Protein backbone atom coordinates (compact mmCIF):
# COMPACT_ATOMS: atom_id res chain seq x y z
CA UNK A 1 0.00 0.00 0.00
CA UNK A 2 1.29 3.48 -0.87
CA UNK A 3 0.61 6.77 0.88
CA UNK A 4 0.74 10.31 -0.44
CA UNK A 5 3.98 12.08 0.33
CA UNK A 6 3.73 14.99 2.71
CA UNK A 7 6.17 16.81 0.40
CA UNK A 8 4.04 16.45 -2.74
CA UNK A 9 4.29 19.41 -5.10
CA UNK A 10 1.06 21.44 -4.97
CA UNK A 11 -0.98 22.04 -8.09
CA UNK A 12 0.00 25.42 -9.55
CA UNK A 13 -2.02 27.59 -11.94
CA UNK A 14 0.35 28.70 -14.68
CA UNK A 15 -1.76 31.65 -15.83
CA UNK A 16 -1.80 33.06 -12.29
CA UNK A 17 1.98 32.70 -12.09
CA UNK A 18 2.38 34.54 -15.40
CA UNK A 19 0.09 37.36 -14.26
CA UNK A 20 2.08 37.73 -11.04
CA UNK A 21 5.34 37.91 -13.00
CA UNK A 22 3.87 40.75 -15.04
CA UNK A 23 2.70 42.60 -11.93
CA UNK A 24 6.19 42.27 -10.49
CA UNK A 25 7.69 43.59 -13.72
CA UNK A 26 5.35 46.59 -13.75
CA UNK A 27 6.09 47.31 -10.09
CA UNK A 28 9.80 47.55 -10.87
CA UNK A 29 9.23 50.58 -13.11
CA UNK A 30 8.16 53.76 -11.35
CA UNK A 31 7.47 55.49 -14.69
CA UNK A 32 5.71 52.46 -16.16
CA UNK A 33 6.83 50.22 -19.01
CA UNK A 34 5.47 49.15 -22.42
CA UNK A 35 4.08 45.70 -23.10
CA UNK A 36 7.07 44.48 -25.09
CA UNK A 37 9.49 45.30 -22.30
CA UNK A 38 7.26 43.72 -19.66
CA UNK A 39 6.87 40.55 -21.74
CA UNK A 40 10.64 40.28 -22.07
CA UNK A 41 11.27 40.84 -18.35
CA UNK A 42 8.57 38.36 -17.35
CA UNK A 43 9.85 35.79 -19.83
CA UNK A 44 6.52 35.57 -21.68
CA UNK A 45 5.55 35.46 -25.36
CA UNK A 46 4.27 38.86 -26.41
CA UNK A 47 0.71 37.68 -27.33
CA UNK A 48 0.36 36.04 -23.91
CA UNK A 49 1.63 39.17 -22.19
CA UNK A 50 -0.81 41.39 -24.11
CA UNK A 51 -3.75 39.19 -23.12
CA UNK A 52 -2.76 39.17 -19.45
CA UNK A 53 -1.98 42.90 -19.37
CA UNK A 54 -5.36 43.78 -20.82
CA UNK A 55 -7.09 41.48 -18.33
CA UNK A 56 -5.18 43.01 -15.41
CA UNK A 57 -6.02 46.50 -16.65
CA UNK A 58 -9.67 45.55 -17.04
CA UNK A 59 -9.73 44.38 -13.41
CA UNK A 60 -8.00 47.55 -12.18
CA UNK A 61 -4.69 45.97 -11.18
CA UNK A 62 -2.94 47.89 -13.95
CA UNK A 63 -3.68 51.10 -15.81
CA UNK A 64 -2.41 52.06 -19.24
CA UNK A 65 -1.33 55.61 -20.00
CA UNK A 66 0.47 56.82 -23.12
CA UNK A 67 1.38 53.29 -24.14
CA UNK A 68 2.91 52.18 -20.85
CA UNK A 69 1.49 50.16 -17.97
CA UNK A 70 1.45 51.26 -14.31
CA UNK A 71 0.15 49.56 -11.19
CA UNK A 72 -3.55 50.34 -10.77
CA UNK A 73 -5.78 51.12 -7.81
CA UNK A 74 -6.71 47.48 -7.25
CA UNK A 75 -3.04 46.56 -6.84
CA UNK A 76 -2.56 49.38 -4.34
CA UNK A 77 -5.62 48.17 -2.44
CA UNK A 78 -3.93 44.82 -1.77
CA UNK A 79 -1.61 46.46 0.75
CA UNK A 80 -3.75 49.41 1.81
CA UNK A 81 -5.03 49.67 5.36
CA UNK A 82 -8.77 49.12 5.82
CA UNK A 83 -10.73 52.30 5.22
CA UNK A 84 -8.11 53.98 3.03
CA UNK A 85 -8.57 52.08 -0.20
CA UNK A 86 -8.51 54.24 -3.28
CA UNK A 87 -11.53 54.58 -5.53
CA UNK A 88 -11.34 54.56 -9.34
CA UNK A 89 -11.55 57.97 -10.98
CA UNK A 90 -14.84 59.13 -12.43
CA UNK A 91 -13.25 59.15 -15.89
CA UNK A 92 -12.20 55.50 -15.63
CA UNK A 93 -15.58 54.54 -14.20
CA UNK A 94 -17.41 56.28 -17.02
CA UNK A 95 -15.23 54.82 -19.75
CA UNK A 96 -15.65 51.33 -18.34
CA UNK A 97 -19.43 51.76 -18.26
CA UNK A 98 -19.48 53.02 -21.86
CA UNK A 99 -17.23 50.19 -23.02
CA UNK A 100 -19.68 47.67 -21.59
CA UNK A 101 -22.74 49.52 -22.90
CA UNK A 102 -21.44 50.22 -26.42
CA UNK A 103 -19.34 47.09 -26.84
CA UNK A 104 -16.20 48.84 -28.12
CA UNK A 105 -12.99 50.18 -26.62
CA UNK A 106 -13.41 53.77 -25.42
CA UNK A 107 -10.63 56.36 -25.30
CA UNK A 108 -10.32 59.75 -23.59
CA UNK A 109 -7.66 62.34 -24.43
CA UNK A 110 -6.97 65.99 -23.70
CA UNK A 111 -4.71 68.63 -25.22
CA UNK A 112 -2.52 69.87 -22.38
CA UNK A 113 0.46 72.22 -22.53
CA UNK A 114 0.90 71.73 -26.25
CA UNK A 115 0.66 67.94 -26.27
CA UNK A 116 -1.91 65.22 -26.87
CA UNK A 117 -2.38 63.23 -23.68
CA UNK A 118 -4.29 59.95 -23.74
CA UNK A 119 -5.52 59.93 -20.15
CA UNK A 120 -7.67 56.80 -20.08
CA UNK A 121 -8.57 53.76 -22.16
CA UNK A 122 -11.24 51.18 -21.39
CA UNK A 123 -11.04 47.89 -23.26
CA UNK A 124 -11.34 44.19 -22.52
CA UNK A 125 -9.69 40.99 -23.74
CA UNK A 126 -12.49 40.38 -26.24
CA UNK A 127 -12.58 44.03 -27.42
CA UNK A 128 -8.93 45.16 -27.29
CA UNK A 129 -7.87 48.75 -27.79
CA UNK A 130 -5.63 49.77 -30.65
CA UNK A 131 -2.02 48.94 -29.82
CA UNK A 132 0.10 52.09 -29.50
CA UNK A 133 2.83 51.06 -31.91
CA UNK A 134 3.75 54.69 -32.70
CA UNK A 135 3.46 57.41 -30.06
CA UNK A 136 -0.10 58.75 -29.92
CA UNK A 137 1.36 62.07 -28.76
CA UNK A 138 3.52 62.45 -31.86
CA UNK A 139 1.07 61.06 -34.43
CA UNK A 140 -2.09 63.04 -33.75
CA UNK A 141 -2.45 63.69 -37.47
CA UNK A 142 -2.97 59.95 -38.07
CA UNK A 143 -5.63 58.96 -35.53
CA UNK A 144 -9.18 60.15 -34.99
CA UNK A 145 -8.79 61.35 -31.41
CA UNK A 146 -5.69 63.38 -32.33
CA UNK A 147 -7.39 64.95 -35.34
CA UNK A 148 -10.40 65.77 -33.16
CA UNK A 149 -8.16 67.58 -30.66
CA UNK A 150 -6.21 69.42 -33.37
CA UNK A 151 -9.47 70.60 -34.94
CA UNK A 152 -10.36 72.34 -31.66
CA UNK A 153 -7.14 74.38 -31.53
CA UNK A 154 -6.80 77.87 -32.89
CA UNK A 155 -4.69 78.28 -36.00
CA UNK A 156 -1.53 79.36 -34.19
CA UNK A 157 -1.63 76.46 -31.71
CA UNK A 158 -2.33 73.98 -34.51
CA UNK A 159 0.58 75.24 -36.62
CA UNK A 160 2.86 75.12 -33.58
CA UNK A 161 1.87 71.53 -32.89
CA UNK A 162 2.56 70.46 -36.45
CA UNK A 163 5.92 72.24 -36.41
CA UNK A 164 6.92 70.05 -33.46
CA UNK A 165 5.19 66.88 -34.67
CA UNK A 166 5.34 66.89 -38.49
CA UNK A 167 2.80 65.02 -40.57
CA UNK A 168 4.15 61.71 -41.83
CA UNK A 169 2.21 58.79 -43.31
CA UNK A 170 2.00 55.77 -41.01
CA UNK A 171 0.04 53.54 -43.41
CA UNK A 172 -0.91 53.79 -47.06
CA UNK A 173 -4.23 55.29 -45.92
CA UNK A 174 -2.72 58.07 -43.78
CA UNK A 175 -3.07 61.74 -44.64
CA UNK A 176 -0.08 62.44 -46.88
CA UNK A 177 1.10 65.90 -45.86
CA UNK A 178 0.46 68.95 -43.72
CA UNK A 179 -1.57 70.79 -46.34
CA UNK A 180 -3.94 67.85 -46.76
CA UNK A 181 -4.40 67.54 -42.99
CA UNK A 182 -5.13 71.24 -42.53
CA UNK A 183 -7.67 71.15 -45.35
CA UNK A 184 -9.39 68.18 -43.74
CA UNK A 185 -9.54 69.92 -40.37
CA UNK A 186 -10.92 73.11 -41.93
CA UNK A 187 -13.77 71.21 -43.58
CA UNK A 188 -14.94 69.53 -40.36
CA UNK A 189 -18.27 70.84 -39.17
CA UNK A 190 -18.39 71.88 -35.53
CA UNK A 191 -19.20 68.97 -33.24
CA UNK A 192 -19.33 66.29 -35.93
CA UNK A 193 -17.44 62.99 -35.41
CA UNK A 194 -13.95 62.70 -36.84
CA UNK A 195 -13.64 59.43 -38.76
CA UNK A 196 -10.32 57.71 -39.43
CA UNK A 197 -10.02 54.54 -41.49
CA UNK A 198 -6.78 52.57 -41.17
CA UNK A 199 -4.69 55.75 -40.99
CA UNK A 200 -2.97 54.78 -37.74
CA UNK A 201 -3.33 50.99 -37.70
CA UNK A 202 -4.25 48.67 -40.55
CA UNK A 203 -7.44 46.73 -39.95
CA UNK A 204 -8.91 49.31 -37.56
CA UNK A 205 -11.34 52.22 -37.99
CA UNK A 206 -11.93 54.90 -35.36
CA UNK A 207 -14.26 57.79 -34.65
CA UNK A 208 -13.85 60.64 -32.17
CA UNK A 209 -16.08 63.39 -30.81
CA UNK A 210 -15.10 66.67 -29.10
CA UNK A 211 -16.02 66.99 -25.44
CA UNK A 212 -16.77 70.35 -23.83
CA UNK A 213 -15.51 70.43 -20.25
CA UNK A 214 -14.88 74.01 -19.23
CA UNK A 215 -11.72 75.34 -20.84
CA UNK A 216 -10.33 71.84 -21.37
CA UNK A 217 -9.80 70.70 -24.95
CA UNK A 218 -10.88 67.07 -24.84
CA UNK A 219 -12.10 64.24 -27.03
CA UNK A 220 -13.55 60.75 -26.72
CA UNK A 221 -13.22 57.98 -29.28
CA UNK A 222 -14.22 54.44 -30.14
CA UNK A 223 -12.59 51.91 -32.44
CA UNK A 224 -13.76 48.76 -34.22
CA UNK A 225 -12.10 46.22 -36.50
CA UNK A 226 -12.35 46.97 -40.21
CA UNK A 227 -14.61 43.96 -40.77
CA UNK A 228 -17.12 45.51 -38.33
CA UNK A 229 -16.98 49.01 -39.79
CA UNK A 230 -20.77 49.22 -39.93
CA UNK A 231 -20.69 49.45 -36.11
CA UNK A 232 -18.52 52.57 -36.06
CA UNK A 233 -21.05 55.35 -36.63
CA UNK A 234 -23.76 53.84 -34.39
CA UNK A 235 -21.13 53.33 -31.67
CA UNK A 236 -19.82 56.90 -31.76
CA UNK A 237 -23.35 58.31 -31.81
CA UNK A 238 -24.17 56.17 -28.79
CA UNK A 239 -21.02 57.49 -27.10
CA UNK A 240 -22.09 61.06 -27.89
CA UNK A 241 -25.43 60.43 -26.22
CA UNK A 242 -23.83 58.86 -23.16
CA UNK A 243 -21.37 61.74 -22.75
CA UNK A 244 -24.07 64.38 -23.20
CA UNK A 245 -26.27 62.67 -20.61
CA UNK A 246 -23.48 62.53 -18.07
CA UNK A 247 -22.43 66.12 -18.66
CA UNK A 248 -26.01 67.26 -18.11
CA UNK A 249 -26.05 65.45 -14.78
CA UNK A 250 -22.94 67.39 -13.63
CA UNK A 251 -21.25 64.17 -12.56
CA UNK A 252 -18.50 64.00 -15.17
CA UNK A 253 -15.23 65.90 -14.69
CA UNK A 254 -11.72 65.75 -16.16
CA UNK A 255 -8.67 66.51 -14.04
CA UNK A 256 -5.37 67.33 -15.70
Amino acid sequence: MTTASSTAVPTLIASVQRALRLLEAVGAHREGAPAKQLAREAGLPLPTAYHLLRTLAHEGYLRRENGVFHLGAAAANLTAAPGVRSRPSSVADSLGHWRDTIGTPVYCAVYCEGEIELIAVADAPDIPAVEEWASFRETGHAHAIGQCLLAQLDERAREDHLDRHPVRPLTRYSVRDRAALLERLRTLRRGEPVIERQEYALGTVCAAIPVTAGATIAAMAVSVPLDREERLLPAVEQLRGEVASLLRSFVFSISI
Side-chain angles (χ1 to χ4, degrees):
M1 183 175 66
T2 59
T3 59
S5 171
S6 61
T7 60
V9 177
T11 300
L12 303 179
I13 308 301
S15 59
V16 175
Q17 291 179 308
R18 290 191 288 265
L20 291 173
R21 299 294 84 75
L22 282 172
L23 284 172
E24 291 169 352
V26 174
H29 297 279
R30 180 176 297 179
E31 302 300 323
K36 290 181 180 179
Q37 180 178 355
L38 295 170
R40 183 172 62 252
E41 293 178 0
L44 298 175
L46 188 56
T48 300
Y50 274 132
H51 182 79
L52 289 170
L53 288 168
R54 286 168 178 155
T55 302
L56 289 166
H58 175 65
E59 296 299 326
Y61 290 93
L62 297 178
R63 56 186 172 86
R64 193 175 80 175
E65 296 179 359
N66 298 321
V68 299
F69 288 89
H70 305 261
L71 291 177
N77 285 341
L78 293 175
T79 56
V84 298
R85 293 187 173 186
S86 59
R87 298 181 62 185
S89 71
S90 60
V91 174
D93 284 347
S94 298
L95 263 64
H97 166 72
W98 295 333
R99 173 203 61 216
D100 296 340
T101 299
I102 301 170
T104 68
V106 182
Y107 312 77
C108 179
V110 297
Y111 198 81
C112 179
E113 298 182 352
E115 299 293 352
I116 293 169
E117 298 287 352
L118 187 66
I119 62 172
V121 179
D123 65 350
D126 57 333
I127 47 171
V130 177
E131 178 188 350
E132 186 177 358
W133 70 273
S135 170
F136 283 136
R137 172 180 289 194
E138 298 175 5
T139 59
H141 61 279
H143 48 77
I145 203 164
Q147 293 177 22
C148 189
L149 291 171
L150 293 175
Q152 298 177 66
L153 302 179
D154 60 39
E155 185 175 353
R156 176 179 294 183
R158 190 181 302 130
E159 294 284 357
D160 173 70
H161 181 92
L162 297 177
D163 285 342
R164 291 180 289 107
H165 302 301
V167 175
R168 56 185 179 89
L170 299 185
T171 76
R172 63 182 179 273
Y173 301 100
S174 301
V175 63
R176 306 311 297 176
D177 53 41
R178 181 170 180 152
L181 174 67
L182 292 175
E183 178 61 24
R184 177 188 295 184
L185 297 180
R186 279 193 291 265
T187 59
L188 288 174
R189 290 184 294 177
R190 184 177 180 84
E192 72 176 359
V194 178
I195 308 298
E196 170 258 302
R197 294 178 172 87
Q198 303 191 87
E199 294 183 47
Y200 178 82
L202 294 175
T204 302
V205 293
C206 304
I209 55 172
V211 175
T212 301
T216 301
I217 296 174
M220 298 265 186
V222 295
S223 65
V224 298
L226 181 61
D227 60 7
R228 296 186 62 204
E229 185 173 4
E230 73 281 355
R231 282 281 299 124
L232 186 64
L233 288 179
V236 77
E237 288 303 326
Q238 189 175 358
L239 176 64
R240 188 205 297 273
E242 294 281 350
V243 173
S245 175
L246 199 54
L247 286 171
R248 284 195 298 270
S249 72
F250 301 103
V251 173
F252 183 74
S253 65
I254 294 178
S255 298
I256 302 176

